[in-house]
Amino acid sequence: MNTEHTPPAPVLATADSSGAPRRTTGYQQRLNQLRAAVLGANDGIVSVAATVVGVAGVTTATGPILAAGTAAVVGGAISMALGEYVSVSSQSDSERGRIATAERELATDPEAAREELAEHWQELGLTQETAEQVASELHRRDPLAARLTIAGDIDPDDIVSPWHAAIASFLAFFLGALLPMAAILLPPPDLRIPVTFIATLIALALTGWIAAKVGDANPVRASLRVVIGGALALGITFVIGSLLGSAGLDI
């Protein structure tokens, strides 16, 4: 086993006109799009696979499976994009509100803002003298950026875009959903269920691994979580479909 440790990638940063280091503009945007894409792909795989497997439990006819799967792909992609848009819109509105508040506070009483920044550094463990020096230096270089470190480390040049997140989520859901659709439609009828199960669980393990790497979490644990959850979703929907088929449901 290769035990060589790869050092983490350096944090991207630039310097503003005063020389203060700033996070590279667009970092939050790229991270947000990647998160939305991973979640969208995972949801597309699970929800569409569960839908087509459930229908396949009732009938082996291609028509009903294709119709149900197509509806799940289209409806799910739109729903995922809408949910992501609403969620990220709330986040960006909150960030813009904090920026506006910080700008008002700086315009109204800049000295009080500097003193609050010094208190913030004292709470983090610096002595009063050092905290005052750090606060004064940061406040002199970029008062708004210094103020926003207290408000959640917000970068006013890198507010997340709800449209970017929605589009990434829509495309990822759609692409993820293509795998279970292909797995259920391409094999012979007697192999559709096992092929879909295997393909879906492998794909979920991969998305779980990627999501863990993005979030700096344990990839094995994350992969097991989504694989077990996906297996339960497929198993339950297939059992329900089989029971409905046994009850004489005709589709």
Side-chain angles (χ1 to χ4, degrees), residues 155-240:
D155 185 350
D157 297 324
D158 196 16
I159 303 298
V160 293
S161 167
W163 281 109
H164 290 170
I167 293 171
S169 184
F170 179 92
L171 293 176
F173 184 101
F174 182 81
L175 293 175
L178 293 180
L179 184 139
M181 287 293 288
I184 200 72
L185 294 174
L186 295 181
D190 57 333
L191 294 179
R192 283 175 174 171
I193 300 301
V195 168
T196 303
F197 262 83
I198 294 171
T200 298
L201 297 184
I202 291 175
L204 288 177
L206 180 60
T207 59
W209 188 279
I210 294 173
K213 287 297 184 180
V214 171
D216 197 23
N218 186 316
V220 175
R221 185 180 306 162
S223 295
L224 284 176
R225 254 196 316 260
V226 294
V227 167
I228 292 172
L232 286 174
L234 294 178
I236 291 171
T237 54
F238 177 70
V239 169
I240 293 175

Side-chain angles (χ1 to χ4, degrees), residues 59-138:
T59 178
T60 58
T62 301
I65 296 174
L66 177 60
T70 301
V73 171
V74 176
I78 295 173
S79 176
M80 193 75 183
L82 179 60
E84 195 69 26
Y85 180 85
V86 171
S87 174
V88 177
S89 291
S90 298
Q91 178 185 345
S92 60
D93 289 346
S94 174
E95 290 177 350
R96 288 191 176 90
R98 293 180 185 181
I99 292 171
T101 299
E103 289 173 336
R104 284 196 302 270
E105 291 170 347
L106 287 169
T108 302
D109 194 346
E111 180 58 25
R114 189 202 64 80
E115 291 176 359
E116 188 174 348
L117 182 62
E119 293 174 1
H120 169 73
W121 286 106
Q122 276 188 269
E123 291 174 356
L124 292 179
L126 298 183
T127 64
Q128 180 177 356
E129 181 181 357
T130 304
E132 289 283 349
Q133 182 179 354
V134 170
S136 297
E137 181 72 15
L138 292 175

